[in-house]
Amino acid sequence: MTGFLDAPDRAAVPFWQAVTGYGLSDWREDGTFATLLPAAGDAFLRVQVVGDGPARVHLDLHVDDLPAASYGAAALGAKLVEIAEGLTVLRSPAGLLFCLVEWSGESVRPGGRHSLVDQVCLDLPEAVHDREVEFWAALTGWERGFSDLPEFSYLVRPAGMPLRLLVQRTGGTVAGMHLDLACDDVDAEVARHAGLGARVVRRVPGDWTTLEDPAGREYCVTGRPPFRT
């Protein structure tokens, strides 16, 4: 699974390089795609310049049989957006954009000493929550787990998978996705991000802080250990 940081321009890319400590590949596809490169382990974060806003997140799921996976996703309720070479673009029942891509053997999860992007949160309004959770659980084949907080649940990722899927029941009307970082000191990590150009949006003492990156995209810094499964 790969997390994509989509934005109208490249302005926030240096910020995410600094936050993660990752390098950057050459830009490809006419300068619209690049990969954030960890020092060890397989890459799992990419940046994409899109022609529309606002800045957002989407997921790529890597599969070993693209036609079969595409058919299966449609059977589960996904709507087809586009088919290209090595790529199928779809929307979930709640309208979340995601892609199915051909798997290239990635299997080594990068580590993080003090902080690590390791989670994508699906922000789901009440009206679509249950159906959407069923869809993602069936699509991935991952078992559902439950949090101590009633508005949260998650899908248990397999060993070696870099990103976990958290599910948040929201009071909004539009479904979305955002990235979460695990770290060993939330206050220190938030201060570091603010120094790099992030803006603090809200704090939940003892749990997490929501920030906004230079592109206006919200994400969270959490107190979960960086190596947690």
Side-chain angles (χ1 to χ4, degrees):
M1 186 177 289
T2 295
F4 261 88
L5 293 157
D6 303 329
D9 55 42
R10 300 182 184 181
V13 174
F15 170 82
W16 284 100
Q17 286 184 258
V19 161
T20 59
Y22 294 170
L24 188 70
S25 73
D26 292 336
W27 289 88
R28 54 195 183 277
E29 300 292 330
D30 297 323
T32 57
F33 290 92
T35 302
L36 293 170
L37 301 172
D42 290 315
F44 68 102
L45 292 173
R46 293 189 171 91
V47 291
Q48 179 180 11
V49 176
V50 294
D52 59 348
R56 56 189 182 268
V57 172
H58 84 261
L59 284 173
D60 276 11
L61 279 68
H62 300 236
V63 299
D64 54 12
D65 187 333
L66 184 56
S70 301
Y71 178 83
L76 291 171
K79 290 182 170 51
L80 179 66
V81 175
E82 181 183 358
I83 296 176
E85 184 177 356
L87 170 73
T88 302
V89 184
L90 305 108
R91 287 193 181 275
S92 72
L96 296 177
L97 188 72
F98 69 98
C99 300
L100 299 176
V101 300
E102 295 175 342
W103 182 49
S104 299
E106 300 95 338
S107 61
V108 180
R109 179 187 175 197
R113 182 178 176 187
H114 298 295
S115 69
L116 179 69
V117 176
D118 78 333
Q119 188 165 259
V120 173
C121 183
L122 309 180
D123 302 310
L124 304 177
E126 178 69 35
V128 301
H129 177 275
D130 292 351
R131 173 71 181 91
E132 191 74 359
V133 174
E134 291 175 0
F135 170 79
W136 286 96
L139 182 67
T140 60
W142 298 359
E143 181 181 354
R144 189 178 180 189
F146 294 90
S147 167
D148 294 336
L149 300 174
E151 67 269 32
F152 290 101
S153 61
Y154 59 91
L155 299 182
V156 181
R157 60 181 166 189
M161 188 66 63
L163 293 170
R164 185 175 80 155
L165 289 182
L166 180 70
V167 181
Q168 178 175 206
R169 190 189 303 266
T170 71
T173 58
V174 179
M177 297 185 188
H178 71 263
L179 292 182
D180 286 348
L181 286 87
C183 72
D184 56 14
D185 186 329
V186 172
D187 289 342
E189 187 70 3
V190 168
R192 184 174 76 89
H193 288 220
L196 293 170
R199 181 181 71 86
V200 173
V201 176
R202 68 185 71 88
R203 297 179 186 268
V204 180
D207 288 308
W208 70 86
T209 296
T210 302
L211 300 101
E212 187 179 88
D213 76 3
R217 175 178 29 228
E218 289 193 359
Y219 67 99
C220 293
V221 171
T222 78
R224 294 173 301 105
F227 291 103
R228 183 174 178 176
T229 59

